[in-house]
Amino acid sequence: MPKPSDNQQFFRDLDRRLWNSADQLRSNLDAAVYKHIVLGLIFLKYISDSFQDRRIELDQQFRDSENDYFLGDDEEFIAKELEVRDYYTEKNIFWVPARARWDFLRANAKVAPGEVITLLDETPLIEPNSKSAKYPDGEPEKFKGLDILLDRAMQAVEDDNPRLKNVLTKDFARLQLDPDKLGRLLDLVAGIPFNHGELKAKDILGHVYEFFLGEFASAEGKKGGQYYTPQSVVSLIVELLEPYSGRVYDPCCGSGGFFVQSEKFIEEHADNQQFNHKERHKAVEDRKRQISVYGQESNPTTWRLAQMNLVIRNIEADIKLGDTLLQDGFPDLKADFVMANPPFNLKDWGGETIRDDRRWEYAVPPSANANFAWMQHMLYHLAPTGRMGLLLSNGSMSSNTNTEGDIRRAIVEADQVECMVALPGQLFTNTQIPACIWVLSKSKVARNGQRNRVGETLFIDAREVGYMKDRVLRDFTATDIQHVADTFHNWQRGTNYADIPGFCKSATQADIAANDYVLTPGRYVGAEAKERIGDSYEVVMPQLVARLREQFAESIRLQEAIEENLAGLGYDK
């Protein structure tokens, strides 16, 4: 649902408060380790809140004489019925056992070591593995530490919910976390509001989870970029592809950002004028069910992040664990939308072992760089009317190393390149390599309100779009994203589109052939009315050489001054 301005302010205030507090509690843990602790607690809070929400709803129904679930006023019977798993799973709510419920964890977090742990009604928590004669169902469990309590809570949730097997964090005890800081972190997560206005737990906790993913990726630097693509870049690709319905596939899905953004796209583009709130909610949910989600991720810890991210969003997805290029998890899948941000310029990816793979339609990709292996893999999995968005380094648009130039030429000649978008630098936490978006289509014939674009390709130079959100990173505003996406869709429809010098150009295959099949937008869009002197090699290079020589001269001057000072101290050459 679109967030009103007060909700946006609410999220901004909440984000900063939570992150600053969580970061202060990090102690000596690396961000790469700490993120699993924090995100694991946020996830546990989410499923516990959802469970409690359903429990309150059931309790009201059991006591309502006009409801089909009415049970009378037998408190003991109602209490037993509230523990029936089917009431929760029928609504796609995860069953949360007593030892993993948030209220229970907080109530026992500061119990003294050796004391008996109790449920909220003061009943001792029974350890089911004990064979004590005094307690036929086990012995009352004694508190050994909050870390162990959390590990057992996570394990209990996994044991009772097969979908979460091997997904949750169970490293609290192993990391030997400071008990006081862990308790304060629990309190911090507990402070995430249950709701705000029309926002519910799913909306708030989903947003917090996504925000923390981005902050941890930034804190981790290069390693963080392996699982997180900046939200604005993901949003741009999703807006370009418009995945309203069909099969959506990400072969290197990281933490699931493309899937989350696809769901948001559906929510934000529902027709607000057509429905009241209840009708609109149903319409949005119906449309979401028209999307099938498939993904693959090679890193087990990142796979876990994706699973939790999608569960919070209530997105049903089939996410395989494994190396996509060497062990394709969906060999027969043909997707309507494919979108991905694979590792840039991946070397030694094992291509020599699968040279005869059926995915290499145009040529065997070089084993020293996986860029065109990813591209051909995605094209292979694209349905006959499908469209894909692929984020790659700028070198992919012009490189002729090994077979890269041949593959690029063949894809152009097959008329599958629909749009090329050059992105500005400094968008990513993990690399300064300039990047671009390839939008490829299996068919450009007229359909669904789009004109016939056969033989045409749109080039967009977005290198000057966006703003510096801090000293290091650049970002897009919602207006920036809409501007680029509207340019593409207007070109597709043939309405309100015109070439803009320095920004966009509709080119033919003959134009591309004349440029030796190089797809760099700057070659096609020309210059702005205001000359972009800064991009000119002939102007910039002499300036850089002159500045370098000045620095050399200054270096010599400083060296002579230092030698003179040393001589004054009696240290001659």
Side-chain angles (χ1 to χ4, degrees), residues 426 468-474:
Q426 296 178 268
M468 294 301 295
K469 68 177 184 179
D470 56 37
R471 293 183 303 168
V472 179
L473 290 176
R474 195 175 185 88

Side-chain angles (χ1 to χ4, degrees), residues 57 68 115 183 274 305 337 373 433 492:
E57 179 185 19
D68 292 339
E115 288 189 10
Q274 188 175 347
L305 293 177
F337 303 97
I433 298 174
Q492 284 183 310

